């Protein structure tokens, strides 16, 4: 497990066996539905280069999803991430997860929302041929 994935797993509020994913996700969703209906955002980590995947693929999509719901990290709204990895299924609040991955990229929360939010322009173009 990479250091970034270890830090994410440390943030988890619950864990489950992936074989029971549907039941476990529904239980986590219901347990977090005190004030509004909780939403699970599923992320399946690849075996190779999980950190790169989190920083370049998962982060932009999750930030866009949260922004479209009107949620600005570090707030999670009612969204949690169901993170599937080789070690199991982990449930993590979306806001802290975004914050941790953002820091790993060396960016600020403001910058990731500016880049990947619903009005974002994406990553800056690279210079060169």
């Amino acid at each position: 497990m990479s250091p970034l994935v270890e830090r994410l797993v440390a943030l988890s509020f619950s864990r489950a066996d992936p074989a029971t994913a549907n039941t476990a996700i529904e239980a986590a969703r219901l347990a977090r539905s005190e004030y509004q209906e909780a939403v699970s955002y599923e992320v399946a980590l690849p075996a190779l280069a999980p950190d790169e995947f989190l920083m370049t693929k998962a982060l932009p999509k999750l930030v866009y999803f949260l922004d479209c719901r009107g949620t600005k990290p570090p707030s999670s709204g009612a969204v949690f991430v169901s993170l599937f990895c080789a070690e199991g299924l982990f449930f993590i609040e979306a806001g802290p997860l975004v914050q941790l991955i953002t820091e790993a990229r060396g960016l600020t929360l403001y910058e990731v929302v500016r880049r990947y939010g619903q009005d974002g322009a994406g990553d800056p173009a690279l210079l060169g041929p």
Side-chain angles (χ1 to χ4, degrees), residues 35-106:
Y35 305 108
Q36 57 185 333
E37 187 171 334
V39 175
S40 170
Y41 184 93
E42 288 84 22
V43 174
L45 286 183
L48 299 175
D51 292 359
E52 181 180 343
F53 174 82
L54 286 166
M55 291 188 277
T56 62
K57 301 289 187 206
L59 179 66
K61 291 178 182 180
L62 179 56
V63 169
Y64 179 80
F65 179 78
L66 291 172
D67 194 45
C68 287
R69 292 180 57 86
T71 302
K72 300 283 191 251
S75 174
S76 297
V79 179
F80 64 92
V81 174
S82 298
L83 182 69
F84 291 85
C85 61
E87 291 75 19
L89 170 59
F90 299 89
F91 302 110
I92 308 163
E93 291 293 335
L97 179 137
V98 167
Q99 190 166 14
L100 188 63
I101 297 172
T102 296
E103 290 169 4
R105 280 202 59 188

Side-chain angles (χ1 to χ4, degrees), residues 7 10 27 29-30 33 43 46 48-49 61 111 124:
R7 291 176 61 202
R29 191 185 67 73
L30 291 173
S33 294
V43 174
L48 299 175
K61 291 178 182 180
E111 182 64 18

Side-chain angles (χ1 to χ4, degrees), residues 103-118:
E103 290 169 4
R105 280 202 59 188
L107 299 172
T108 64
L109 290 174
Y110 172 80
E111 182 64 18
V112 296
V113 171
R114 188 185 71 74
R115 286 184 186 188
Y116 310 128
Q118 58 185 332

